[in-house]
Amino acid sequence: MYVSTSSAPSSSAANAKPSLSELSKPRPNTNLQASALNYRSLHRSTHSGSCGASPFAAFRDSLYKYLETVPEGDFDGYANKLITAGTSLEFLKYSDALFEILFAGGLLQPGGSYLDDGAPPSPFSINNAKEPVAIEELKKFVDVFNKVIRRYKYLQKPLEESSLPSLLQYCIKWPAAQRDKVTLTTGLLITQGLATVNCILPLAKDQLVKDDVALGVITPIFRTILTEQSVDAFAAHMKRSGVKDLLDFFPNTRRDLKHLETYFKNAGLPQVVDWYVKRRYAMIREEVASHLKEMAGGEESTDSIVEYVKNSQSENPLPESELVPAMWQALMSTVDWSVARPDQIDSMALKEVTRIAGVLEPFCSGAKTQVALINAVQVYCYEDTKIIKTFPHILKVLYNKDCVSDQAIIYWHQKGAKSQGKQHFLKAAEPLVKFLREQEDESEEEE
């Protein structure tokens, strides 16, 4: 049993540190950032030979007294003792110290080195997990965290906003096995809703992205999430986070899609690449669509709009099969159908489609893009019943304006149509499809 050699200073002194009994008294919640700052400052001022006990060392010693009575490997026992300790010790005030003990096995100095004051390692910490490191082993420790944080919910915020960001930066300097324990545990905590991906944000600092240092930390976190959950769950975690761009964790000279794709595929995480590409394309689509609406609303010329899209494609390339449907939706969203009488809808629709066809045509070079455009028209007509009957006429205009080919229309009719109103639109397009097939047959006969 560890016996503390620290003694509490007299409470009568004006600048005295709190005694162990004072640590147990309930106190109001304090600002987390201020608490963390005070914690780091006190580490600097009280762990370098100054007389008297550090309040954090006193907290640690008191916590050890609860944990050292539990038999090794009794995870339920550790959880129960921690919950009991929380009724008397100030977990919130000393949250950084608490999580350093539970993660690293002891108090840490600023920078991540262990405080060397003669205290033994904590009887319970993820640092005690067996090696080689295994997810199933770490889950036992995370289950203890889960029980304690569910009981003391106020611990979740300091864990995510203060402790984990610091530990993830510190663990860069630790041995590989210890670093793995921290990163894999972080991934498990995220999957269980005890933390969010926001904890990796400080790793985007310039000094940490060099030489793939930051990537070496976030990669096992991502791998753990994707091992335990689906790609959709991973995407949801990333969407809720404050991570604006995954490229921020790459060195400045390699912040492009090609390097991201190579890195994560080599790391065995192609799912991250797929998620990132989809997200990036969605952002580009939104930006292009927003600008097109402004240009169309300002009645800018077709040439000006086409030039803008081409410039956008050179800077942020988007597959035409993604680009053209987004252009269709953006340009058609500027049409106000309420100004037309029912008997004017058809003529108005054909006029508007003829107008925007000149913008679409330069980007409709591939069959996949053309089928995607037809499907975008199908869904648009399905969602706005006022123009549902004009679908075959719109299709004919797009064909005449070289936005879609006969082969694209025939393929769409055979097996490429969307489910929305599918039978209605297939039937409505039958006369045009029949005409195109007859033309195709005549061309073959002439050859």
Side-chain angles (χ1 to χ4, degrees), residues 13-88:
N15 60 347
K17 300 179 178 68
S19 66
L20 192 57
S21 61
E22 286 180 299
L23 292 175
S24 304
K25 295 179 181 179
R27 297 176 186 264
N29 290 354
T30 56
N31 179 273
L32 291 175
Q33 292 182 339
S35 177
L37 178 61
N38 291 337
Y39 172 50
R40 304 301 176 197
S41 300
L42 280 167
H43 259 318
R44 292 183 177 91
S45 63
T46 62
H47 295 325
S48 56
S50 58
C51 62
S54 157
F56 303 98
F59 172 83
R60 174 200 61 201
D61 298 342
S62 182
L63 183 65
Y64 278 16
K65 291 178 181 179
Y66 286 92
L67 297 176
E68 62 192 6
T69 62
V70 181
E72 184 178 354
D74 183 1
F75 291 94
D76 286 338
Y78 286 127
N80 292 334
K81 286 295 183 180
L82 285 167
I83 290 172
T84 301
T87 63
S88 57

Side-chain angles (χ1 to χ4, degrees), residues 49 74-75 96 142 158 164 179 195 197 213 269 376 415 433 438-439:
D74 183 1
F75 291 94
D96 275 317
V142 172
L164 279 179
R179 181 171 62 249
V197 181
V213 172
L269 293 174
K415 53 184 177 181
V433 172
E438 289 174 351
Q439 275 197 327

Side-chain angles (χ1 to χ4, degrees), residues 147-172:
K147 291 175 181 176
V148 174
I149 294 175
R150 296 302 181 194
R151 173 62 180 82
Y152 301 110
K153 294 182 180 178
Y154 57 75
L155 287 175
Q156 186 168 351
K157 188 173 183 180
L159 171 65
E160 178 183 353
E161 296 183 1
S162 179
S163 297
L164 279 179
S166 296
L167 289 165
L168 290 175
Q169 293 175 78
Y170 293 161
C171 76
I172 290 170

